[in-house]
Amino acid sequence: MKTHVKALVVGGGAVGTSIAYHLARAGWDDVMLLERDELTSGSTWHAAGLLPYFNMSFATTHIHDHSIKFYKTLEEETGLNAGFAVVGNLRMAQSDARMDEYMLYATTAETCGVPFEWLTPAQIKERWPLVRTDDLKGAIYHPTDGYINPADVTMAMAKGARQRGVMIERKWQVDSYTWTGAHWDVGITKMVEKGGNLVPSEETSVIHAEHVVTATGNHAQRTARLLGIKIPAIPVEHQFIVTEPDPALLDYRKTHDQHPVLRDADAKWYVREERGGWILGPYERGAPARFEYGVPDSFRADLFPLDLERIEEEYMSMIHRIPSSETVGLKDDFNGPICYTPDGNPLVGPAPGLRNMWLAEGFSFGITAAGGTGHYLAQMMTEGEAEIDMASLDPKRFGSWQTTEYAARKNEEAYDHVYVLHHPDEERPACRPLRTVPAYERQKARGAQFGHVNGWERPNYFGPLDAPDSFDHDARSFRRGGWWQYAVDEAKAVREGAGLIDASAFTKHIVKGPGATAFLDWFTCNKLPKVGRINLTYALTDKGTTRTEYTIVRLTEDEYYLVSAGAWTDYDADFLRKAAQDKAADFGYIEIQNVTTQYGVFAIAGPKSRDVLNAVIKDADPATALSNKRFPWLSMRDIELGMCPVRAIRVAYTGELGWELHHPIEMQAYLFDLLEKAGAGHGMKLVGARAQNWLRQEKSYRAFGNELGRDATPLEADLPRFVDLSKDFNGKAAMQATGIRSTCITVLIDGPTDADPWGREALYAQDGSRVGRLTSGGYSVAFGKSIGMGYVKPQHAAVGTVLKVRMLNKLWDATVTEDSPYDPQNATIRKDG
Ligand SMILES: Cc1cc2nc3c(=O)[nH]c(=O)nc-3n(C[C@H](O)[C@H](O)[C@H](O)COP(=O)(O)OP(=O)(O)OC[C@H]3O[C@@H](n4cnc5c(N)ncnc54)[C@H](O)[C@@H]3O)c2cc1C
């Protein structure tokens, strides 16, 4: 066996095999795959093989789309038939809300070019008479969707990989990983059969690999232990049952093609044909997590016993939907481990803290995702970045604060939520509250309805004081939910008076030391601020796209305070640390401190915000302490509010006069009381994240993860004022070479009276051609209509262009505005007083 390779892939399931194949296809000719048992012996062998397109995420839809297209080419390449049945996929709706969900999904699907049709209950009945339709509202149908044989598609990928030079070695288990500074020494052991178990033999070896990819499926917890990191991928039990042949189906099939895969989301199941009978795959309540601390040696290609009682409701509802299935008996059952993560998406990308170590773990739709994952991960590894933004799948989106218990309970919840209504304003309840700021109970007592950001509880909006526990759940909608008016009132308060926003979740880093200035000058694309001043700036990828947005405060000549998005703390910290380590030899010693949990942040904003602060500021001359002269816009000062020392930064993400008040977290409750009391005289309102999100769109402020990401450069985000082309910085040449593929715009929408966009909708030119997509959406209190931000081809970005946006399955006018339609001159932000 070869012992020196460019890339070692660990795990021979669908995912690992696809990655090995795609690395070879991308041009790496020294790739090895190790599998501790047989290929497909993990979850892959017992998957039902469905390839559902449906997904609310732009990145994941691209991944699924790529898989489906790729699988269709495999037979020609390898001569192996993977049993790809393109039978279509019929997603039925029992309620109007479910139809709303499909309409939102459909406009997202359009942004990726995924084909679909709408069907009425009568049309369903006409095509598939075995389906009961009298209680349906309609359905969305994907003609190109279908199912495949999971083992066969894996074997076809393995054959394709071998043909491209990949070495596939079975019965070798990876037992250790050691980073030498230049490559990984991977300790492996030959596995042998003993009494039905697979056990380690005495035969060992070491593989030297420049890059390692782990795709270890249900063994992710062992992989995490070997690597000394956290991987919140823990399997949950998942069952499907196979019935005997259904005479009615056999009869129907004499004159018809195969049934499409049926999905009755409201009943929580999928059904497909299998040799004249049916496969029922339920996503029932109460499926337990398994193997929290690792897979026992005795568990190989095994299954758990069927728990029919747990899926009785779904079974009965299949009989309701397909009445002919009532009389057919059960032929077979499968109850296997299916890997999940706390948000249900896999973990794909660089491992936290490690070099050249890539994770591809936590796949719950791994057959569907394998092809696309291989393609995009290989792009990341061989070219530096994928063509789509993979941040939503990045392993570091989950913080290091997470525990096994958290991951297990959240993963059970993610399984349980596969078929719930995927409201964009959904907040999932498991494991909460967990990370709370000292003002949490006070906010709660004032009606806060909290969202969950990287584990933090953050107010989304302030609802009624006497709200029942179910208030937020019942307020959710694909249209304007029961919370909408609260957010409107909060947004108005900021525009007209003053609002106090809890922004404590922000990621905060101190960067200091003799190398700090030169490093940050190279690391970010804008000029560095002078001492006491701040700048908005971007760290770029090697491809010139946006990796992180920072507000940089220069505290001293060699010390900086960096503030970035709260949802991305570990993602940002890892990138910053690795870059600083790489550059220390060039620039000198650079110290990085993650101080996220040391500081709370309140953002106070609105024309009366200065008055509120003036009432509590302690200063030799309080009347002028916050004036433009002593505290200009885009500057920082250490001030004292009552007894609380505050690092105040004069910026406001809402685009009003305002300050961010960074304070010692342990003094937060005191500061909250102080500001609340002072604000009472000025009508100050507590304001949540939803209103803030709307307000920032009126100012065209780009949000990280929406307008800013690894698929667009800051120039494409139309932010040339924050890019200093007179200096050299990481990614500059690539950014310039990329040009402007599409450009960021803000639109005001003459839309429906009961709905706003969510930032996933497709945009069209007047002639009906698709020209881009929204990345943010909401309601503008300043303009009294819906607002959105997004990307279009440059020729459609001129101010005044009237585009069309698809919402609720209709096209609505969306007019491109100037950047910052509200207060374009920044007069209110700069107001003196
Ligand atoms: C009942 C059921 C039905 C399903 N139906 C579908 C479906 O219809 N569609 C769909 O898309 N998905 C489905 N899934 C999910 C799907 O099975 C998984 O998402 C997919 O198989 C994951 O593939 P993988 O390659 O990540 O993991 P696995 O297939 O589990 O492969 C991981 C491999 O890594 C090996 N390994 C682990 N540790 C080591 C080590 N240290 N050294 C060497 N090798 C190692 C293991 O032996 C294993 O072979 C279903 C799952 C279940 C349980």
XYZ file of all heavy atoms in Angstrom, residues 769-800:
227
model
N -37.223 37.164 -18.099
C -35.987 36.385 -17.907
C -35.492 36.551 -16.473
O -35.614 37.632 -15.879
C -34.909 36.845 -18.898
O -34.678 38.231 -18.733
N -34.948 35.471 -15.924
C -34.457 35.512 -14.541
C -33.120 36.225 -14.514
O -32.206 35.875 -15.248
C -34.340 34.089 -14.001
C -34.060 34.007 -12.533
C -34.461 32.649 -11.965
N -34.017 31.551 -12.789
C -32.776 31.046 -12.764
N -31.872 31.539 -11.955
N -32.445 30.046 -13.550
N -33.015 37.263 -13.664
C -31.800 38.091 -13.683
C -31.077 38.121 -12.347
O -30.009 38.718 -12.230
C -32.125 39.541 -14.125
C -32.612 39.565 -15.558
C -33.127 40.215 -13.182
N -31.647 37.501 -11.318
C -30.962 37.523 -10.028
C -31.863 37.006 -8.924
O -32.848 36.307 -9.173
N -31.504 37.344 -7.720
C -32.268 36.859 -6.565
C -32.139 37.829 -5.403
O -31.154 38.581 -5.312
C -31.781 35.485 -6.142
C -30.365 35.513 -5.598
C -29.885 34.133 -5.197
N -28.513 34.179 -4.742
C -28.092 33.862 -3.508
N -28.961 33.490 -2.585
N -26.816 33.923 -3.190
N -33.128 37.778 -4.515
C -33.031 38.550 -3.278
C -32.201 37.770 -2.270
O -32.245 36.535 -2.222
C -34.410 38.821 -2.685
C -35.319 39.805 -3.427
C -36.587 40.041 -2.604
C -34.625 41.127 -3.709
N -31.460 38.504 -1.452
C -30.708 37.871 -0.369
C -31.208 38.359 0.994
O -30.861 37.789 2.020
C -29.207 38.186 -0.521
O -29.060 39.580 -0.806
C -28.599 37.385 -1.657
N -31.978 39.448 0.998
C -32.629 39.939 2.223
C -34.006 40.450 1.836
O -34.238 40.804 0.685
C -31.865 41.115 2.844
O -30.620 40.716 3.333
N -34.879 40.521 2.816
C -36.199 41.073 2.550
C -36.853 41.509 3.837
O -36.433 41.110 4.931
N -37.880 42.336 3.711
C -38.584 42.785 4.902
C -39.510 43.934 4.570
O -39.936 44.092 3.413
N -39.788 44.728 5.575
C -40.738 45.831 5.415
C -40.035 47.130 5.771
O -39.287 47.193 6.749
C -41.942 45.610 6.337
C -42.954 46.718 6.241
C -43.801 46.808 5.128
C -43.059 47.683 7.242
C -44.721 47.836 5.024
C -43.983 48.703 7.144
C -44.814 48.782 6.030
O -45.719 49.800 5.923
N -40.305 48.164 4.982
C -39.710 49.466 5.256
C -40.745 50.382 5.886
O -41.752 50.714 5.246
C -39.200 50.085 3.955
O -38.995 51.467 4.149
N -40.481 50.806 7.112
C -41.422 51.752 7.738
C -41.262 53.133 7.127
O -42.202 53.928 7.095
C -41.236 51.837 9.275
C -41.709 50.579 9.948
C -39.807 52.168 9.670
N -40.076 53.448 6.608
C -39.861 54.780 6.019
C -40.644 54.933 4.721
O -41.131 56.015 4.407
C -38.375 55.003 5.768
N -40.771 53.847 3.956
C -41.420 53.933 2.649
C -42.803 53.280 2.634
O -43.518 53.358 1.636
C -40.530 53.306 1.577
C -39.235 54.059 1.410
C -38.088 53.642 2.068
C -39.186 55.216 0.651
C -36.900 54.345 1.943
C -38.005 55.938 0.520
C -36.850 55.503 1.176
N -43.152 52.593 3.704
C -44.489 51.998 3.800
C -44.719 50.875 2.806
O -45.836 50.664 2.334
N -43.673 50.143 2.459
C -43.838 49.002 1.546
C -42.706 47.993 1.777
O -41.771 48.279 2.539
C -43.861 49.463 0.101
C -42.665 50.285 -0.331
C -42.651 50.536 -1.835
C -43.635 51.603 -2.261
N -43.476 51.964 -3.686
N -42.805 46.890 1.073
C -41.766 45.870 1.232
C -40.450 46.356 0.647
O -40.423 47.174 -0.283
C -42.167 44.580 0.515
O -43.311 44.032 1.094
N -39.377 45.808 1.215
C -38.037 46.185 0.778
C -37.214 44.911 0.641
O -37.536 43.892 1.275
C -37.393 47.161 1.787
C -36.106 47.791 1.218
C -37.105 46.498 3.137
C -35.617 48.993 2.018
N -36.192 44.966 -0.170
C -35.311 43.808 -0.278
C -33.949 44.210 -0.800
O -33.764 45.307 -1.336
N -32.991 43.332 -0.601
C -31.665 43.516 -1.186
C -31.308 42.225 -1.902
O -31.820 41.156 -1.554
C -30.633 43.822 -0.092
C -30.895 45.153 0.577
S -29.705 45.497 1.888
C -28.232 45.837 0.924
N -30.465 42.325 -2.893
C -30.111 41.113 -3.616
C -29.069 41.374 -4.665
O -28.423 42.430 -4.668
N -28.917 40.397 -5.533
C -27.910 40.484 -6.601
C -28.581 40.286 -7.956
O -29.417 39.396 -8.104
C -26.843 39.401 -6.417
C -25.787 39.807 -5.416
C -25.982 39.629 -4.056
C -24.609 40.405 -5.844
C -25.020 40.023 -3.140
C -23.638 40.805 -4.941
C -23.848 40.607 -3.587
O -22.904 41.000 -2.693
N -28.191 41.153 -8.911
C -28.665 40.982 -10.288
C -27.488 41.148 -11.232
O -26.437 41.690 -10.858
C -29.749 42.018 -10.674
C -31.051 41.742 -9.964
C -29.270 43.436 -10.445
N -27.691 40.718 -12.451
C -26.666 40.966 -13.480
C -26.524 42.482 -13.615
O -27.534 43.212 -13.547
C -27.100 40.323 -14.795
C -27.134 38.808 -14.700
C -27.652 38.189 -15.977
C -27.827 36.690 -15.779
N -28.801 36.104 -16.681
N -25.281 42.955 -13.817
C -25.028 44.397 -13.745
C -25.929 45.234 -14.646
O -26.314 46.358 -14.279
C -23.565 44.524 -14.176
C -22.955 43.195 -13.900
C -24.036 42.186 -14.036
N -26.306 44.716 -15.815
C -27.114 45.538 -16.724
C -28.523 45.804 -16.205
O -29.253 46.609 -16.771
C -27.156 44.911 -18.132
C -27.798 43.537 -18.237
C -26.788 42.403 -18.060
O -25.810 42.518 -17.319
N -27.043 41.280 -18.716
N -28.888 45.132 -15.099
C -30.232 45.340 -14.542
C -30.188 46.125 -13.232
O -31.162 46.172 -12.494
C -30.921 43.994 -14.308
C -31.061 43.194 -15.560
N -32.032 43.454 -16.501
C -30.319 42.181 -16.052
C -31.894 42.614 -17.509
N -30.856 41.827 -17.258
N -29.023 46.710 -12.934
C -28.842 47.303 -11.600
C -29.027 48.823 -11.582
O -28.927 49.441 -10.517
C -27.440 46.954 -11.084
N -29.335 49.420 -12.718
C -29.420 50.892 -12.735
C -30.572 51.373 -11.849
O -31.652 50.748 -11.821
C -29.627 51.371 -14.163
N -30.329 52.468 -11.141
C -31.369 53.042 -10.280
C -32.589 53.351 -11.144
O -32.472 53.920 -12.235
C -30.842 54.328 -9.591
C -31.966 55.034 -8.838
C -29.688 53.989 -8.660
N -33.755 52.967 -10.653
C -34.988 53.228 -11.386
C -35.455 52.038 -12.217
O -36.616 51.998 -12.641
